[in-house]
């Protein structure tokens, strides 16, 4: 389970990138909502410690219990249905022994681990119809339970991770192009249908967000209010920003954007740290994604490749969606910016995933040295 590694083989570059982007997040959160800063700092300390510990454990040991990981994930999500705490009209939180956490954030990591081992064990028949059906059927319960909270944005992120891990695992191109040929037209039809006044496919507030995204001027004083203000705030930061904890007129001081410490944290970064600060965050997240892909390329086995690629998708994909929302490229949705947005469960979960990636890296270096 525990192995001896050489210090020089440790991925200090990835650790530096993670610490740098997290520190920027803690500073931005302290400026947006000071009462959340200490909690985020605690999450960083906890997450960093767990990451270092996990990095020395052979990830293959954990993957032996992949069915247990899957069962635990489903159990947590079912507990949310039965005993979950409602916050902002959504039942996403679970409280156990005085500790409150969001199981859907853990779901992303657990499913990456589960499918990484499942794909490696069934790699010889990855493209068989029975195996494809089994993988999809296993995805449906956690996907539905997250969607029903309701949390469409996390559902999309989980589906995106699944697709990338499946592709990295060896899914044939004929199935990929075949699915795209079916999914793309269906997605276009679905998008047209949800814009109809009497549609029942998505909830009313979700439809309003899409309409506000398409016609921001029409909804400038209602649904599009936050996103419009976020875009203006980022632009007002100019090159160097207004400075952290400033007392000028800003989106945080005027309460022009709700929950600026989470979904719109990039707005705070852009306004207070300017174009330079915004680019710094984007570059750090991009380099983290790139480093995970580099680890995936060199992993000792298929499971390690899938784990690192899954984490790259989680960080890169979720970062893109969050920043796209803050800049008006996507409709408003509740996806946190990895390592930057406030959220103890999200931060610790990401560090857990990165701890396993660090071990994948150590294992691949060990393989080449042997």
């Amino acid at each position: 389970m525990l192995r001896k590694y050489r210090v020089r083989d440790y991925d200090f570059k990835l650790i530096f990138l993670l610490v740098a982007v997290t520190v920027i997040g803690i500073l931005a959160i302290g400026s947006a909502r000071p009462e959340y800063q200490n909690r985020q700092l605690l999450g960083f300390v906890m997450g960093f410690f767990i990451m270092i510990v996990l990095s020395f454990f052979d990830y293959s040991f954990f993957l032996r219990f992949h069915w247990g990981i899957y069962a635990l994930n489903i159990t947590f999500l079912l507990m949310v249905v039965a005993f979950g705490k409602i916050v902002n009209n959504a039942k996403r939180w679970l409280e156990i022994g005085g500790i409150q956490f969001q199981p859907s954030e853990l779901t992303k990591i657990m499913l990456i681990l589960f499918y990484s081992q499942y794909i490696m064990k069934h790699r010889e028949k990855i493209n068989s119809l029975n195996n494809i059906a089994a993988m999809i059927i296993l995805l449906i319960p956690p996907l539905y339970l997250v969607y029903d909270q309701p949390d469409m944005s996390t559902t999309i992120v989980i589906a995106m991770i699944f697709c990338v891990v499946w592709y990295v695992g060896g899914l044939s191109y004929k199935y990929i192009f075949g699915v795209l040929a079916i999914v793309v037209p269906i997605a276009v039809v679905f998008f047209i249908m949800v814009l109809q006044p009497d549609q029942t496919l998505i909830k009313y507030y979700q439809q309003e967000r899409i309409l506000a995204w398409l016609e921001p001027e029409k909804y400038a004083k209602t649904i599009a209010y936050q996103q419009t203000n976020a875009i203006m705030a980022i632009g007002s930061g100019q090159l160097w920003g207004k400075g952290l904890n400033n007392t000028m007129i800003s989106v945080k001081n005027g309460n022009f954007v709700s929950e600026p410490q989470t979904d719109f944290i990039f707005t705070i970064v852009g306004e207070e740290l300017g174009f330079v600060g915004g680019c710094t965050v984007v570059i750090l997240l991009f380099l983290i994604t790139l480093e995970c892909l580099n680890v995936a390329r060199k992993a000792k086995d298929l499971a390690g490749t899938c784990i690192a690629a899954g984490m790259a998708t989680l960080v890169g994909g979720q970062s893109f969606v969050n920043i796209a929302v803050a800049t008006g490229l996507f409709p408003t949705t509740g996806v946190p910016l990895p390592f930057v947005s406030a959220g103890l469960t999200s931060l610790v979960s990401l560090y857990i995933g990165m701890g396993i990636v660090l071990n994948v890296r150590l294992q691949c270096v060990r393989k080449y040295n042997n």
Side-chain angles (χ1 to χ4, degrees):
M1 186 169 68
L2 275 171
R3 294 190 177 185
K4 293 182 179 179
Y5 304 102
R6 296 183 305 182
V7 174
R8 67 181 182 183
D9 294 333
Y10 212 71
D11 197 345
F12 291 104
K13 179 171 64 175
L14 179 58
I15 292 177
F16 170 78
L17 295 171
L18 293 171
V19 172
V21 75
T22 306
V23 168
I24 292 175
I26 292 171
L27 293 174
I29 290 166
S31 182
R33 291 285 188 271
E35 63 271 23
Y36 287 91
Q37 190 174 42
N38 288 338
R39 183 178 174 84
Q40 191 73 0
L41 184 59
L42 173 64
F44 169 54
V45 174
M46 287 174 53
F48 189 84
F49 175 76
I50 294 171
M51 177 184 72
I52 298 301
V53 171
L54 287 177
S55 69
F56 292 107
F57 281 81
D58 188 343
Y59 65 90
S60 300
F61 171 79
F62 297 109
L63 296 184
R64 295 177 193 171
F65 309 100
H66 65 293
W67 282 109
I69 292 172
Y70 180 83
L72 182 62
N73 177 41
I74 297 297
T75 300
F76 279 149
L77 293 176
L78 288 174
M79 288 176 68
V80 172
V81 175
F83 314 109
K85 183 178 180 181
I86 298 176
V87 179
N88 295 329
N89 298 318
K91 189 190 283 188
R92 303 174 185 172
W93 297 89
L94 194 62
E95 189 169 338
I96 299 177
I99 300 174
Q100 184 173 290
F101 64 100
Q102 194 172 351
S104 59
E105 293 296 330
L106 290 170
T107 294
K108 301 169 188 175
I109 309 300
M110 288 181 166
L111 287 181
I112 288 174
L113 296 177
F114 170 74
Y115 275 111
S116 295
Q117 179 67 1
Y118 184 93
I119 288 171
M120 189 173 76
K121 289 186 68 175
H122 299 84
R123 58 185 178 277
E124 300 299 330
K125 51 182 180 179
I126 189 69
N127 290 301
S128 70
L129 292 178
N130 287 339
N131 187 66
I132 289 173
M135 291 183 70
I136 294 174
I137 289 171
L138 287 168
L139 182 66
I140 290 174
L143 213 59
Y144 173 76
L145 289 170
V146 172
Y147 175 79
D148 193 53
Q149 290 181 356
D151 195 347
M152 180 181 283
S153 54
T154 300
T155 305
I156 294 171
V157 170
I158 292 172
M160 181 170 57
I161 293 170
F162 170 76
C163 291
V164 171
V165 170
W166 200 1
Y167 165 72
V168 171
L171 183 64
S172 173
Y173 280 102
K174 70 178 182 179
Y175 288 118
I176 295 173
F177 290 128
V179 169
L180 287 175
I182 296 172
V183 170
V184 172
I186 290 177
V188 172
V189 172
F190 177 81
F191 186 75
I192 294 172
M193 290 178 65
V194 298
L195 295 179
Q196 305 306 311
D198 55 347
Q199 66 84 31
T200 56
L201 295 173
I202 60 176
K203 298 184 183 296
Y204 179 69
Y205 77 89
Q206 294 170 332
Q207 183 194 45
E208 280 195 321
R209 288 180 177 181
I210 296 174
L211 292 171
W213 172 62
L214 293 173
E215 302 179 272
E217 297 83 7
K218 182 178 179 180
Y219 297 87
K221 295 183 178 181
T222 54
I223 306 300
Y225 182 74
Q226 292 190 79
Q227 195 169 44
T228 302
N229 287 333
I231 295 169
M232 289 191 295
I234 293 172
S236 70
Q238 299 184 24
L239 183 61
W240 296 105
K242 301 174 182 177
L244 291 169
N245 304 301
N246 70 80
T247 56
M248 303 181 197
I249 296 175
S250 63
V251 293
K252 64 168 189 185
N253 295 329
N255 291 321
F256 297 122
V257 174
S258 64
E259 307 297 333
Q261 77 281 2
T262 54
D263 302 341
F264 285 95
I265 190 65
F266 190 75
T267 301
I268 303 300
V269 172
E271 183 180 40
E272 301 195 346
L273 299 178
F275 179 76
V276 172
C279 284
T280 300
V281 169
V282 170
I283 291 171
L284 287 171
L285 291 170
F286 175 74
L287 291 176
I288 291 170
T289 303
L290 211 59
E291 185 63 18
C292 288
L293 291 175
N294 186 47
V295 173
R297 184 173 60 87
K298 298 178 180 178
K300 70 171 185 178
D301 56 23
L302 185 58
T305 297
C306 290
I307 290 171
M311 288 304 299
T313 306
L314 173 55
V315 175
Q318 197 162 294
S319 297
F320 176 78
V321 172
N322 178 279
I323 294 172
V325 169
T327 54
L329 295 177
F330 281 4
T332 302
T333 185
V335 173
L337 187 59
F339 303 105
V340 182
S341 291
L344 200 62
T345 311
S346 174
L347 187 60
V348 173
S349 297
L350 285 166
Y351 270 106
I352 289 173
M354 285 300 164
I356 299 172
V357 170
L358 284 171
N359 185 256
V360 174
R361 154 82 178 186
L362 285 171
Q363 293 284 341
C364 74
V365 172
R366 183 187 180 93
K367 179 187 75 171
Y368 288 126
N369 288 337
N370 292 337

